[in-house]
Amino acid sequence: MDSFAFIIHPIDTYDVARKFKFMKNWPEKVIEGVMKHLPPVKVSHITGVRSPYNEVEGWFVGCPLTTRQMMTLPEEFVIQKIIKAGKLAEKLGAKIVGLGAFTSVVGDAGITISKNLNIPVTTGNSYTVATAIEGAVKAAEIMGKDIKNAEVVVIGATGSIGKVCAEILARDARFLTLVGRNTQRLESIAEKILRETGLSVRITSNVKNALKKADVIITVTSSVDSVIDAEDLKPGAVVCDVARPRDVSKEVAEKRDDVLIIEGGVVEVPGDVNFNFNFGFPPKTSYACMAETMILALEQRYECFTLGRDLTVEQVEEISRLAKKHGFKLAGFRSFERPVTEEQIERIKENARKNLAKWESKAI
């Protein structure tokens, strides 16, 4: 049977204590200290991923490091730990392995890991971008905004993911602003978009100014700190944060109950899938990056589909086409590792309606 594996890791020590309840009263430093010495583990066997064209099985492989450890421990140590997890995936029989969460961010985004394994590696970023754009457009519709007439802003537009997002959004948006630190590169992307789509986009290095009128924001910077402040967002704005580390801090979401902050889409997986592991999603749904690995296995495309930090429109279009072929589709939204409910969205819409007039009077 065709097969895949996907490397996951705990977001924080809370996730570890949730799995190993005897650790729930342990200090964070003690938990992380123990984890540094643990080997990768098989977390679960995934069954029932089935499309009209193929059926595959897979495994979750756990890399025992939290997000903070991945960001702060020596890069070589972290990469070696991920490679060991990839080796375990090979032993289990996986024919391709996907990198989840920060395992796809550290170092050179999978290239070194791929060189040290005998099976292909993919970061899942192509399908993540595809679903982020689809999710942002859908979220805008729910908030009462048509992407064709909305003020759309891409922050981090000079990076590979930001550039791809800008190029795809330029096909539909009439009002598009690109934000980045390098003005020369922004001009180059703006010229390419004008040449290919006929759309004249605005460019700026000033995030605050770009956000004042923004209805839909996709943010994908490589900044280690958040780049969006709570007071800059217009009531009713939709922010899709694709960046890792995040561009929007949790504090912003807590201060602003009139904006919708999402981190891309939840993907419905075809078949009667059983992950045999609760990662906090509704049944039969997954992250887009997980789905990319499953799609490639279903398609028997055993290749390093998305690696490194370069990404093209063609890759995003190709994985979107394959996703539709095999029956994957957007199922919902996530925000700060938690599902966004319809009730939350209704509250945000109501609060935005109340605050918008006040915001517009201040903006005049």
Side-chain angles (χ1 to χ4, degrees), residues 208-226:
K208 282 183 178 292
N209 286 348
L211 290 180
K212 288 193 186 307
K213 292 183 180 177
D215 298 304
V216 180
I217 301 139
I218 292 189
T219 185
V220 283
T221 79
S222 55
S223 171
V224 293
D225 300 312
S226 60

Side-chain angles (χ1 to χ4, degrees), residues 191-208:
E191 285 169 12
K192 185 170 187 280
I193 289 174
L194 179 62
R195 199 166 55 244
E196 293 180 353
T197 68
L199 180 69
S200 177
V201 304
R202 292 182 287 260
I203 61 171
T204 179
S205 297
N206 191 317
V207 175
K208 282 183 178 292

Side-chain angles (χ1 to χ4, degrees), residues 108-142:
D108 50 14
I111 293 173
T112 301
I113 295 162
S114 168
K115 287 177 181 171
N116 285 275
L117 294 179
N118 297 311
I119 55 176
V121 177
T122 193
T123 63
N125 281 345
S126 295
Y127 197 42
T128 294
V129 167
T131 55
I133 293 173
E134 187 182 349
V137 171
K138 189 174 178 183
E141 285 174 6
I142 292 170

Side-chain angles (χ1 to χ4, degrees), residues 261-324:
I261 299 171
I262 60 174
E263 55 192 40
V266 180
V267 176
E268 191 177 312
V269 179
D272 191 21
V273 60
N274 188 344
F275 291 105
N276 288 302
F277 176 68
N278 179 9
F279 50 93
F281 272 35
K284 302 180 184 180
T285 61
S286 78
Y287 286 105
C289 52
M290 291 176 184
E292 179 171 310
T293 317
M294 296 179 216
I295 293 163
L296 293 170
L298 283 166
E299 188 67 11
Q300 298 179 318
R301 287 275 293 265
Y302 294 120
E303 60 186 84
C304 295
F305 189 83
T306 315
L307 265 192
R309 307 204 184 279
D310 290 326
L311 198 61
T312 65
V313 172
E314 289 73 25
Q315 281 174 293
V316 177
E317 288 177 336
E318 176 68 354
I319 202 68
S320 294
R321 183 185 70 78
L322 294 176
K324 285 183 184 138

